[in-house]
Amino acid sequence: FELARVSVVNEAHETVYDKLVKPIKPVVNYNTKFSGITEAMLKDVTRTLTDVQKDLQQMMTSRDILVGHSLENDLIALKLTHARVIDTSLLYPHPRGPPMKLKLKAIVSKYLMREIQ
């Protein structure tokens, strides 16, 4: 995994952290259609993974609860662990069972009756 952007939203749905991250390795494919990241966006970025890790550790405590979809991928990319996690990919299992996972788009469509992405 290569990290390019980190965003954190609080319980009031306010963006409290949104930073681009300088990739450690050269980027082979920006996958812009899905990531929203372009080469131009990262051109002058100097914030490193270590900077982001420090920022997040100052922002969060062990009592905070992380909520998201397939958070293990995000935590792997961030090289962080956290004990209190609610992961929608685990709460709403795929009908075929592991290792299959429902996409966030499918969960939102089925349970919130909204279209995303």
Side-chain angles (χ1 to χ4, degrees), residues 2 12 14-15 21 32 34 38 49 52 60 66 68 70 73 76 87 94 96 98 102 115-116:
E2 189 69 45
E14 301 163 331
T15 301
V21 183
T32 302
F34 299 102
T38 65
L49 174 59
V52 170
M60 296 186 290
L66 302 183
S70 290
N73 296 324
I76 288 168
D87 192 324
H94 195 283
R96 294 186 193 153
L102 284 176
E115 295 300 316
I116 62 168

Side-chain angles (χ1 to χ4, degrees), residues 65-112:
I65 301 170
L66 302 183
V67 179
H69 186 75
S70 290
L71 283 174
E72 76 275 7
N73 296 324
D74 299 321
L75 292 170
I76 288 168
L78 287 164
K79 296 180 174 45
L80 292 175
T81 60
H82 194 75
R84 301 180 77 182
V85 174
I86 297 174
D87 192 324
T88 56
S89 72
L90 300 175
L91 286 176
Y92 302 97
H94 195 283
R96 294 186 193 153
M100 305 287 290
K101 291 185 179 183
L102 284 176
K103 295 181 180 189
L104 181 60
K105 182 176 184 171
I107 294 170
V108 170
S109 177
K110 181 175 180 177
Y111 295 100
L112 300 179

Side-chain angles (χ1 to χ4, degrees), residues 8-24:
V8 177
V9 177
N10 67 15
E11 64 275 2
H13 308 279
E14 301 163 331
T15 301
V16 295
Y17 189 84
D18 187 30
K19 304 290 182 190
L20 293 170
V21 183
K22 181 179 182 168
I24 297 168

